[in-house]
Amino acid sequence: MGFRSHKVLAEVAGDLLPEFTVSTKVGYFAAGNASEHSLAPGRLHAALEDAASDLGREPDLVFLHNPEHSLARDSPTQRQSRLEAACSVLVDATASGLCGSWGISSWDPRLLADIVGPQLPQPHVLMVRAGFLVGSEILDAIETVAAGWRASALWGMSVFGGSTSEPIWERFDPQVFMQVAQGSSPVQAAFRAAFHLPEVEAVVAGTNQDTHLGELVASLGHEVNRAAVAEYRQLLSR
């Protein structure tokens, strides 16, 4: 929404906003009619202050969004140094009450896999892509980063690649990954299986349709065929 989502959320939710757990991201900034990514500590801190001001309250969780975007041309030593500086901004913001906790949101964590470890600040939440649209290399990198960072929680995102109407969901029936005779729809099966590709505690989903949200929530009662998921991972890595 052109960097207006915090203000719009505050306006729409009104006095209900304190009843919700609010998470957001920092890392991208307005640049004319487009956006740019930055890990500059000063810009990140200003974005955290703006988020709290625009929401009218401190967010419960703030992610450093796609840090790999600004690290692509750096050496491993440079990547580690710049990432540490950026993470430290969020650590300080949490300590000062500017946000409740912090995390890392990564679309492609391969550039992070060789630099994470106990030498870097430990995020509360690591959020990564999950589901059948994630390739083998990305899944391997996610698991490496999760093990190295030891975040308190691992979340998934972007299960449907932006839309459940993408052509792939017409060509592929993920119901084969569910326990038999549960009556899951293809959308429900894809969403439920995403909790195991990789193993995540929660999956973030965006929608403007309450019926779609209800369908996803209902899928949480269905059981996944873990053996089928394990076989899929083995086949994917060949």
Side-chain angles (χ1 to χ4, degrees):
M1 302 188 72
F3 294 90
R4 294 180 57 253
S5 59
H6 294 147
K7 289 183 177 179
V8 172
L9 177 59
E11 292 169 1
V12 173
D15 57 5
L16 287 177
L17 192 59
E19 304 300 320
F20 288 86
T21 298
V22 179
S23 62
T24 188
K25 302 175 182 178
V26 294
Y28 286 94
F29 301 87
N33 295 325
S35 65
E36 63 183 6
H37 191 273
S38 176
L39 295 179
R43 297 187 76 179
L44 294 175
H45 183 78
L48 287 160
E49 291 183 325
D50 288 345
S53 175
D54 292 344
L55 285 168
R57 54 161 289 189
E58 291 76 19
D60 298 282
L61 171 63
V62 176
F63 289 99
L64 179 60
H65 193 191
N66 290 352
E68 67 272 12
H69 192 124
S70 289
L71 300 175
R73 298 182 180 180
D74 293 346
S75 67
T77 300
Q78 291 171 323
R79 292 203 302 271
Q80 188 177 85
S81 177
R82 293 183 65 197
L83 184 57
E84 181 178 7
C87 290
S88 295
V89 174
L90 292 161
V91 171
D92 293 343
T94 302
S96 67
L98 199 53
C99 59
S101 59
W102 72 281
I104 298 289
S105 172
S106 175
W107 185 260
D108 184 349
R110 286 176 293 182
L111 279 175
L112 308 180
D114 62 344
I115 63 172
V116 299
Q119 71 280 2
L120 289 175
Q122 181 177 322
H124 298 98
V125 182
L126 176 62
M127 185 160 66
V128 295
R129 282 189 288 162
F132 293 109
L133 299 182
V134 186
S136 180
E137 288 188 8
I138 301 294
L139 285 169
D140 290 344
I142 288 170
E143 291 168 346
T144 297
V145 169
W149 232 324
R150 297 180 182 177
S152 301
L154 185 63
W155 290 5
M157 62 178 175
S158 193
V159 171
F160 302 108
S163 174
T164 56
S165 62
E166 292 290 331
I168 187 172
W169 304 118
E170 297 178 3
R171 302 194 303 266
F172 164 62
D173 185 0
Q175 293 177 91
V176 297
F177 291 91
M178 305 299 291
Q179 297 289 0
V180 180
Q182 289 190 321
S184 302
S185 70
V187 167
Q188 287 179 314
F191 185 72
R192 190 66 186 86
F195 282 80
H196 303 281
L197 293 165
E199 293 286 340
V200 297
E201 299 177 25
V203 175
V204 175
T207 182
N208 57 7
Q209 299 178 18
D210 55 359
T211 54
H212 178 53
L213 181 60
E215 185 178 16
L216 298 184
V217 171
S219 75
L220 301 179
H222 297 173
E223 293 296 324
V224 174
N225 184 335
R226 291 173 177 261
V229 173
E231 184 178 359
Y232 170 77
R233 283 294 305 270
Q234 291 177 351
L235 293 171
L236 196 64
S237 63
R238 291 181 181 176

